Amino acid sequence: MMTGIGHDIVKLHDHVRLLIVQDAPTSSTVPGYIAELLDKVDNDPHIGKVLETLGTYAIKGRFYNLDHLADAPQPDDSPKQLWEVLHQGLLKLNPNLLMQLASVDQSQAARVELNKLIISSITGWRELITRAWRTGVFGSLAKQWAPQLST
């Protein structure tokens, strides 16, 4: 079932999201709550770019610096460049942060806010998946192991 996903976080998200949509109404002990969490993730304007960046890093970027040290440089963007592209995408969606970032006295606060956007997206996504596990969406075995998930 999971064959072909590997480290591709975007594919994983798409697969898991489909399972949640399909199974939460009948398998979850709290289908309304799961629907609310799903709606929150679906309406998060940043989650797509965050997952794409993390997925690209997981597939291509993990060994970027080691390859560089081994004189086998990768043609793709470095992890730092991936992160900068993520930031640029988020700044396009939040032009007020771009203005603050350009200000000497507000740039540090803007960076903190930018990181909060990323953290909020990841936290909402993780919450959806964790709660789906804990409420039975992914079956009894997943529910049995759910207490091992961090909160």
Side-chain angles (χ1 to χ4, degrees):
M1 179 189 319
M2 297 295 287
T3 306
I5 292 177
H7 291 93
D8 191 330
I9 295 171
V10 173
K11 279 186 184 177
L12 177 64
H13 168 71
D14 292 344
H15 181 76
V16 168
R17 186 192 177 286
L18 180 65
L19 291 175
I20 292 170
V21 167
Q22 174 183 299
D23 296 336
T26 57
S27 300
S28 176
T29 55
V30 287
Y33 180 58
I34 298 300
E36 286 176 27
L37 293 174
L38 181 62
D39 189 51
K40 181 181 175 188
V41 170
D42 284 349
N43 289 306
D44 181 334
H46 311 298
I47 192 64
K49 198 66 167 159
V50 170
L51 293 178
E52 180 184 326
T53 300
L54 294 175
T56 301
Y57 175 76
I59 294 166
K60 299 177 182 176
R62 296 176 297 151
F63 302 110
Y64 186 91
N65 292 323
L66 289 175
D67 289 345
H68 181 73
L69 289 172
D71 290 328
Q74 296 182 14
D76 298 317
D77 289 342
S78 72
K80 181 180 179 184
Q81 289 166 316
L82 290 173
W83 199 250
E84 287 301 319
V85 169
L86 171 62
H87 278 187
Q88 293 304 318
L90 294 176
L91 289 171
K92 283 181 185 176
L93 293 172
N94 298 279
N96 59 327
L97 281 179
L98 183 58
M99 297 293 287
Q100 289 177 337
L101 203 55
S103 168
V104 174
D105 60 328
Q106 295 180 1
S107 67
Q108 185 59 34
R111 288 202 174 277
V112 168
E113 287 305 311
L114 195 56
N115 288 334
K116 282 182 182 179
L117 291 174
I118 295 167
I119 291 166
S120 176
S121 290
I122 293 170
T123 301
W125 180 67
R126 183 178 74 57
E127 179 75 9
L128 168 65
I129 294 169
T130 301
R131 295 301 174 191
W133 269 64
R134 288 185 174 163
T135 65
V137 174
F138 301 122
S140 60
L141 187 58
K143 192 174 181 180
Q144 174 187 338
W145 285 99
Q148 302 302 318
L149 298 173
S150 65
T151 54

